[in-house]
């Protein structure tokens, strides 16, 4: 992607050659110097051996100041680079500095690899001299001899090096704090996901992790957050009350670090979900168990249902779900899983399944002729099975209808009694309120029209539809006068429930699903008598005594003056066939009142006891938000937040109060 | 072929390479813009970059506990600053990245300055352009040409920017340029030169169909930047001005302090990303939805937090709420200001006439409309001048051209000299004499029938009739029908197949309308990826500055 251009590192060795001369030599020179500081002649020799001195004749003028060398203005050699300058331009390095430079380079700079460092020359040379240097330094300072002559350039380099060394050794407070901060953040990054996993699993009622373990971990992570908060705060206020106030850039840096720490805490802390308490956990475990059981039950129930659907032509063999593994065997074997999983009650069904799996295998092996013959067989079998099922369904629906009729009779009786009472009350009240029979009204009226004594035997589907619609649709919206009725209706329904459950799941359901057209076709035909009867009834109602429709809370004044019963009556029944009863309705019923679900739903939500460390955590969070809001000057938010904070604190105090 | 992604990756790589520890990002004026287009502050804070400094700022404090990441253009100035910096290092260690090819001698002088061995790395990362959208880049150069010819400094900057783009997208293209423009030809040759000089850099994996760089000149289509736009991004740019994703709202009456300057970045602002290419009416309804959404989530002012559960919910929703409130207030302010300007300046009416001027050929009705609008006191002098400019460009050679009359009208309206001069300047810049192709009257049969059909059907939206000329050019290019006589190749290599990866560069600046065209083309033509760039991104004001 990008060309790595010639790095400075690569360039360094050549560019640094000058430095090698100046920096590399003093060390070796000093060590030599140290050992033999008494013998000046030897010194000179050693000095010269370290770096070749520039020839006196080559330099007539001081290269730095330009003054001419003479007997009075003598030449001086730099002991480090060998160049010549005048006395004025000469610099001296104290042994102390030299000492420091060389010793530090061994200890502190040992990690810093520079091309001019040759450890061999330094090694072992310092041991004896350190003590003597410190004791003699005051004396030595006086004598020029004991200092190293060097040129200005070399000294500059050395001084810079000294400064660099100082900086390296000294880590400012902010760096130390910052390192700690990062450490904490890294730990959070590592622990938080682990905790989230645990909490999620515990909240789901699983028992993979123990609650204690999780809460320990939570505590640990929370402590980390507190630490991060504290550290970043410390960084923020670092050096604020020093005498020369810190440079604005430093302050900016500190603010930024604090800000990013706040961001970090905000982002991560909110991901920490809370743990359930012990009691809750027990509850959750129980619930999960129930859930599992229910699931198992449902699966068991689902099995026959799916079979029903299976033989349904629309679904076809795809409903099976499992993909048959290709078999290279000669004959087609029934697939083990289809056999093992469902023991089909009907031998015909069993056969159908087998053939289906044969077909799949044949398809996989691409033997088309076999597929064709098998398909033929399957069709015959299915036709046979369909015939059987239809017969059964008719039988079942008849029984169902009879029961339904019985229910309706009872229902009717109940309702009539209710009406009687209602009428009584209405009569006592001002008779100004007129009826407003509209869609819901007439629908609600429908069941009683189904009275078996008067009407023809209703089609089972229709009966069921009406029953369920009045049960499910009406019950929730009925206001008080009708509540009793709704209740009785409900109870009636529930009594029919189990029975519905049984049949609905196999043949009956199929009837509904597969032949809605039949139902629809029959409906209008059977509607006519109803319609008439409804009209009669409406008339009777209108003529007899108006009663408030139970679910129109405020009777419409525009409707009331002259309610035309015919219009209403005609309107509604005409409309209802246009929107045919949803065949699925009866199905919704059984699932809605599934005893298992009721069970699980009815288990009351336990009052959530207030958790203390959750509280503490919230308090911390809110504090962070306040800080944040203040920073951006949103005072209104600050107010609201402070209010919340106060409330939280009160709660906390209350909590802590009683136990103590 | 995503320029935002390319630049962002460069920056991420830089930060990653420097390892853990507190960091400062040292930039120059231009790279600051480049970085800010792709990274937000909070994003970059998370990567331990806490300070942002300009290399040319003098009173930076010595902070040896920081690592410095330098992202600089390889200019002489920057190298000098860097040399000074390295002689007296303020930070512990330096990671140096140049945004373009740097000469060996500069590297050498840097190495010599590095007496304290503080430089850890020197690399070239070719993020030398402003990535506006994934498919749109800009170089933020105003006034790149003087008359018909390049300003030499800008030519080299443009060449650098363009080659950096090619390098960052890893494309070694075949180059075509617009014959009628001398500037396009010069630039094309310069780019070619760089490619052949730095041939090692341009050795990428060969694709079956080589990518194509098409260099155009703004003067070929001076109409597009003169039109009022109605898509969100383009409108904001036209009426408020977007500079490096920032919008200056300080002139909005009654603006609150923290909304003086807002950032609109598709990278971080979901609402903006979804709506930047939608037109104004749609934005209105979307912003209403956003508001409603927000109202639902908004905690009531003095909402009592009754239980711990309430409190928990509050605390959990708070950051999300805060972020949302920022977005909502930002967009509501921006859209509110836009609609204020639209009604104040009578822009709907103006725009309708503009579109008529640009797209239809009915001289007398156009003239009438322009005259009518010039009488309207609500139309600003700027918009009035703009209408006359469009008229001048379209009916330049019309037999009954009444430009002088319109200019008199302008003067009567009290339009200042400055704007009136613009009219002739625009004609000079993008008049018929200059244009290589015909903007207004279609030539080939297909185009004529198309226009005829359009006339029959009527126009769907009077404010968006205009299709930028670029659309036609690109359409031809994709179909392999772009005439070689008008858009010749540089050098010998030609493209046999239909191009797949196309980079279009417009000297004198692209517009957001063209960006939208490219965006739509990218969406509608599978297998074709287009990136549009320009020396700048235009609105009418800037265009006028260019042509002056």
């Amino acid at each position: 992607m990008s060309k790595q251009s010639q790095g400075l590192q690569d360039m360094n060795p050549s560019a640094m050659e000058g430095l090698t001369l100046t920096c590399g030599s003093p060390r070796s020179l000093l060590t030599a110097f140290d050992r033999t500081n008494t013998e000046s002649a030897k010194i000179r020799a050693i000095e010269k051996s370290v770096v070749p001195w520039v020839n006196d004749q080559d330099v007539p003028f001081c290269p730095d100041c330009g003054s001419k060398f003479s007997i009075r203005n003598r030449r001086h050699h730099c002991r480090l680079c060998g160049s010549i300058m005048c006395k004025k331009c000469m610099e001296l390095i104290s042994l102390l500095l030299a000492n420091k430079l060389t010793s530090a380079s061994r200890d502190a700079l040992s990690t810093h690899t520079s091309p001019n460092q040759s450890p061999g020359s330094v090694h072992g040379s310092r041991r004896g001299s350190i003590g003597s240097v410190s004791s003699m330094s005051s004396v030595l300072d006086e004598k020029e001899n004991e200092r190293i002559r060097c040129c200005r350039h070399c000294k500059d380099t050395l001084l810079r090096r000294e400064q660099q060394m100082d900086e390296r050794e000294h880590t400012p407070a902010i760096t130390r704090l910052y390192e700690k901060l990062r450490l904490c953040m890294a730990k959070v990054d590592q622990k938080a996901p682990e905790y989230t996993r645990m909490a999620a699993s515990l909240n789901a009622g699983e028992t993979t992790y123990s609650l204690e373990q999780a809460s320990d971990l939570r505590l640990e992570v929370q402590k980390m957050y507190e630490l991060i908060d504290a550290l970043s705060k410390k960084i923020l206020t670092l050096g604020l009350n020093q005498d020369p106030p810190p440079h604005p850039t430093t302050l900016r840096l500190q603010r930024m670090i604090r800000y990013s720490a706040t961001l970090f805490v905000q982002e991560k802390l909110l991901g920490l979900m809370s743990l359930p308490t012990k009691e809750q956990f027990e509850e959750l475990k129980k619930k999960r168990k129930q859930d599992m059981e229910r699931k198992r039950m449902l699966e068991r129930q689902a099995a026959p249902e799916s079979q029903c659907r299976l033989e349904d032509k629309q679904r076809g063999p795809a409903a099976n779900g499992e993909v048959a593994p290709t078999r290279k065997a000669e004959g087609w074997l029934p697939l083990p899983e289809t056999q093992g999983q469902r023991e089909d009650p009907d031998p015909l069904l069993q056969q159908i399944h087998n053939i289906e799996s044969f077909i799949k295998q044949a398809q996989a092996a691409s033997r088309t002729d076999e597929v064709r013959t098998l398909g033929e067989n399957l069709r015959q079998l299915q036709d046979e099975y369909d015939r059987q099922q239809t017969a059964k369904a008719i039988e079942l629906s008849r029984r169902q209808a009879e029961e339904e009729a019985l229910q309706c009779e009872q229902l009717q009786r109940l309702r009539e009694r209710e009406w009687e009472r209602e009428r009584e009350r209405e009569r006592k009240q001002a008779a100004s309120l007129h009826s407003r029979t509209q869609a819901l009204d007439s629908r609600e009226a429908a069941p009683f029209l189904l009275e078996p004594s008067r009407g023809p035997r209703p089609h089972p589907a229709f009966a069921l539809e009406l029953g369920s619609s009045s049960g499910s649709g009406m019950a929730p919206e009925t206001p008080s006068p009708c509540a009793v009725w709704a209740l009785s209706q409900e109870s009636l329904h529930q009594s029919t429930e189990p029975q519905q459950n049984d049949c609905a799941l196999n043949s009956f359901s199929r009837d509904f699903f597969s032949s809605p057209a039949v139902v629809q076709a029959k409906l209008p035909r059977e509607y006519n008598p109803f319609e008439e009867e409804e009209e009669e009834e409406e008339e009777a109602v209108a003529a007899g005594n108006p009663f408030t429709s139970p679910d129109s809370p405020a009777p419409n004044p525009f409707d009331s003056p002259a309610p035309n019963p015919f219009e209403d009556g005609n309107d509604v029944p005409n409309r209802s066939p246009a929107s045919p009863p949803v065949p699925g309705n009866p199905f919704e019923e059984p699932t809605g009142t599934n005893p298992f679900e009721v069970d699980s739903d009815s288990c009351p939500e336990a009052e959530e006891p207030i958790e203390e460390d959750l509280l503490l955590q919230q308090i911390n969070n809110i504090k962070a938000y306040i800080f944040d809001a203040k920073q951006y000057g949103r005072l209104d938010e600050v107010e609201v937040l402070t209010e919340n904070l106060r409330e939280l604190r009160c709660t906390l105090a209350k909590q802590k109060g009683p136990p103590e | 072929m995503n320029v935002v992604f390319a630049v962002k990756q460069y920056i991420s790589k830089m930060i990653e390479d420097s390892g853990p520890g507190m960091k400062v990002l040292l930039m120059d004026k231009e790279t600051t813009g480049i970085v800010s287009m792709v990274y937000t502050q909070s994003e970059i804070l998370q990567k331990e970059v806490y300070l942002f400094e300009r290399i040319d700022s003098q009173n930076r404090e010595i902070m040896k506990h920081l690592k410095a990441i330098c992202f600089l253009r390889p200019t002489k100035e920057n190298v000098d600053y860097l040399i000074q910096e390295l002689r007296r290092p303020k930070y512990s260690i330096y990671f140096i990245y140049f945004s373009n090819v740097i000469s060996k001698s500069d590297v050498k002088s840097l190495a010599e300055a590095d007496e304290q061995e503080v430089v850890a790395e020197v690399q070239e990362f070719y993020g030398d352009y402003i990535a506006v959208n994934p498919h749109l880049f800009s170089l933020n150069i105003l006034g790149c040409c003087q008359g018909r010819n390049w300003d030499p400094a800008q030519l080299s900057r443009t060449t650098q920017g363009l080659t950096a783009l090619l390098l960052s997208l890893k494309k070694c293209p075949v180059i075509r340029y617009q014959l009628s423009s001398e500037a396009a030809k010069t630039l094309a040759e310069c780019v070619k030169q760089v490619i052949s000089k730095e041939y090692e850099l341009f050795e990428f994996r060969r694709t079956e169909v080589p990518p194509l760089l098409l260099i155009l000149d703004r003067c070929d289509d001076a109409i597009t930047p003169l039109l009022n736009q109605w898509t969100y991004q383009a409108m904001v740019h036209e009426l408020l001005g977007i500079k490096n994703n920032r919008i200056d709202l300080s002139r909005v009456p009654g603006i609150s302090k923290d909304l003086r300057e807002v950032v609109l970045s598709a990278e971080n602002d979901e609402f903006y990303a979804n709506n930047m290419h939608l037109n104004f009416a749609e934005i209105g309804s979307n912003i209403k939805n956003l508001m409603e959404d927000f109202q639902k989530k908004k905690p009531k002012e003095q909402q009592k937090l009754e239980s711990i559960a309430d409190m928990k919910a509050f605390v959990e929703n708070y950051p999300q709420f805060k972020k949302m409130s920022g977005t909502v207030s930002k967009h509501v302010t921006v859209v509110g200001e836009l609609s204020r300007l639209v009604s104040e300046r009578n822009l709907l009416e103006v725009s309708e006439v503009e579109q008529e001027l640009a797209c239809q050929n009915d001289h007398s009705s156009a003239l009438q409309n322009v005259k009518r609008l010039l009488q309207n006191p609500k139309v600003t002098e700027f918009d009035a001048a703009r209408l006359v400019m469009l008229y001048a460009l379209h009916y330049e050679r019309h037999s009954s051209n009444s430009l002088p009359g319109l200019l008199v009208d302008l003067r009567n309206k009290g339009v200042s000299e400055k704007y009136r001069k613009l009219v002739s300047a625009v004609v000079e810049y993008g008049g018929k004499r200059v244009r290589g192709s015909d903007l207004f009257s279609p030539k080939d049969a297909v185009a004529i029938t198309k226009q005829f059909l359009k006339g029959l059907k009527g126009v769907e939206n009077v404010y968006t009739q205009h299709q930028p000329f670029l659309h036609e050019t690109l359409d031809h290019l994709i179909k392999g029908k772009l005439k070689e006589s008008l858009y010749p190749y540089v050098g010998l290599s030609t493209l046999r197949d239909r191009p797949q990866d196309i980079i279009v560069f417009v000297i004198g600046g692209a517009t957001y309308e063209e960006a939208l065209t490219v965006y739509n083309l990218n969406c509608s033509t599978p297998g074709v990826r287009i990136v549009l760039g320009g020396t700048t991104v235009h609105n009418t004001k800037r265009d006028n500055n260019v042509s002056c």
Side-chain angles (χ1 to χ4, degrees), chain A residues 514-558:
Chain A
S514 57
S515 58
V518 181
V519 178
Q520 271 179 43
K522 282 181 191 166
L523 267 179
R525 204 177 24 165
E526 297 197 346
Y527 241 115
N528 281 335
F530 293 170
E531 228 170 67
E532 277 165 36
E533 274 186 307
E534 195 159 7
E535 274 165 39
E536 274 172 32
E537 196 58 35
E538 291 284 6
E539 229 171 343
V541 163
N545 200 357
F547 60 95
T548 31
S549 78
D551 55 355
S552 67
N556 198 334
F558 295 99

Side-chain angles (χ1 to χ4, degrees), chain A residues 1-9 11-12 15-16 19 112-116 160-161 163-164 167-168 172 174-175 178 181-182 185 246-253 256-260 263-264 266-267 270 272-274 608-611 614-615 618 621-622 625 628-629 632 634 636-637 639-641 643-644 647-648 651, chain B residues 9-10 21-23 41-42 45-48 50-53 59-66 86-88 92 96 101-102 104 107-108 110-112 114-126 167-168 170 198 200-201 204 258 300-306 308-309 311-316 318-319 321-322 325:
Chain A
M1 156 197 286
S2 61
K3 177 190 81 169
Q4 171 102 34
S5 81
Q6 266 171 311
L8 281 197
Q9 286 293 35
M11 296 291 289
N12 266 334
M16 293 303 288
L19 268 181
H112 178 71
T113 49
S114 65
N116 52 0
R160 265 212 297 275
R161 187 157 192 101
Q163 194 195 346
Q164 213 176 339
E167 281 159 7
R168 254 175 240 278
I174 186 169
T175 318
Y178 182 75
L181 183 71
R182 291 303 296 187
M185 285 182 173
H247 195 275
T249 327
T250 315
L251 291 180
R252 193 144 48 98
L253 175 72
M256 286 312 223
I257 292 175
R258 164 74 180 161
Y259 178 56
S260 85
L263 280 183
F264 179 84
Q266 268 180 24
E267 189 190 322
L270 295 176
L272 276 191
M273 56 175 95
S274 53
E608 203 183 348
I610 298 165
E611 208 181 323
L614 179 69
L615 257 174
Q618 304 298 35
N621 286 351
I622 294 201
Y625 295 138
D628 211 43
Y632 289 100
R634 289 185 300 256
D636 46 344
E637 261 175 41
E639 248 171 60
V640 179
L641 283 166
E643 180 90 0
N644 292 343
E647 274 173 43
L648 264 174
T651 330
Chain B
Q9 265 212 321
Y10 277 140
M22 289 179 273
K23 298 172 192 104
Q41 197 191 29
S42 49
L45 271 179
Q46 281 174 356
K47 304 199 166 200
E48 295 186 86
Y50 296 111
L51 288 178
F52 310 92
E53 297 275 10
N59 55 344
R60 273 180 286 122
E61 200 200 1
I62 294 183
M63 299 178 111
K64 290 288 188 175
H65 44 282
L66 292 187
L86 292 181
R87 280 196 207 285
R88 299 251 174 288
S92 65
I96 300 174
V101 181
I102 186 167
K104 294 227 163 68
V107 176
K108 198 169 174 216
L110 279 177
E112 277 162 7
D114 183 27
E115 286 162 3
Q116 302 195 15
E117 293 160 46
V118 287
V119 175
E121 192 161 294
V122 178
Q123 278 204 41
E124 290 169 356
F125 275 3
Y126 307 101
L167 285 170
S168 68
K170 294 192 222 166
E198 305 280 346
E200 313 133 299
L201 284 182
F204 304 117
D258 48 346
K300 305 289 168 290
E301 261 312 301
Q302 291 303 324
Q303 184 191 25
K304 278 273 177 229
L305 299 178
E306 302 280 352
I308 272 295
M311 213 151 326
K312 206 166 115 193
F314 173 78
V315 168
E316 267 161 19
Y318 186 74
F321 158 74
K322 211 176 66 183
S325 92

Side-chain angles (χ1 to χ4, degrees), chain A residues 95-147:
Chain A
L95 263 183
L96 206 63
L97 173 60
N99 237 339
K100 184 181 162 190
L101 283 172
T102 46
S103 65
S105 74
R106 195 158 44 91
D107 303 335
L109 295 180
S110 55
T111 48
H112 178 71
T113 49
S114 65
N116 52 0
Q117 191 153 17
S118 42
S121 67
V122 187
H123 186 71
S125 59
R126 302 307 317 151
R127 284 283 162 261
S129 59
I130 289 171
S132 62
V133 166
S134 58
S135 62
M136 286 170 68
S137 57
S138 56
V139 190
L140 282 173
D141 269 356
E142 255 81 283
K143 290 192 212 164
E144 198 184 81
N145 244 0
E146 308 306 328
R147 292 184 280 184

Side-chain angles (χ1 to χ4, degrees), chain B residues 219-224 226-227 353-362 387-398 426-427 430-432 435-444 447-448 451 454 466-467 469 472:
Chain B
C219 67
D220 207 33
D221 175 18
I223 297 286
T224 308
L226 284 175
L227 298 172
V353 177
E354 279 174 4
Q355 296 284 340
E356 187 190 340
L357 279 170
C359 306
Q360 284 159 26
N361 275 323
D362 185 352
L387 283 170
V388 178
M389 279 182 241
L390 281 169
Y391 174 84
L393 279 175
H394 192 165
Y395 299 108
E396 193 184 350
R397 304 267 165 92
H398 196 270
V426 163
V427 175
K432 243 192 190 113
R435 289 201 291 267
S437 38
D438 203 327
L439 267 180
F440 295 106
S441 48
K443 265 183 235 127
D444 58 304
I448 288 173
Q451 199 177 39
K454 211 167 149 194
H466 180 254
Q467 272 276 16
F469 185 61
E472 198 185 317

Side-chain angles (χ1 to χ4, degrees), chain A residues 213-267:
Chain A
Q213 204 182 342
S215 62
D216 281 354
L217 190 62
R218 184 190 174 84
L219 215 64
E220 201 178 329
V221 174
Q222 261 169 4
K223 263 193 196 132
M224 268 324 155
Y225 283 127
E226 273 160 37
L227 207 57
I228 289 173
D229 196 52
L231 280 172
S232 63
K233 226 175 260 167
K234 220 185 225 170
I235 289 177
L236 182 69
T237 52
L238 211 61
L240 271 186
N241 35 17
Q242 268 169 17
D243 193 21
H247 195 275
T249 327
T250 315
L251 291 180
R252 193 144 48 98
L253 175 72
Q254 292 172 356
R255 261 204 319 274
M256 286 312 223
I257 292 175
R258 164 74 180 161
Y259 178 56
S260 85
T262 325
L263 280 183
F264 179 84
V265 171
Q266 268 180 24
E267 189 190 322

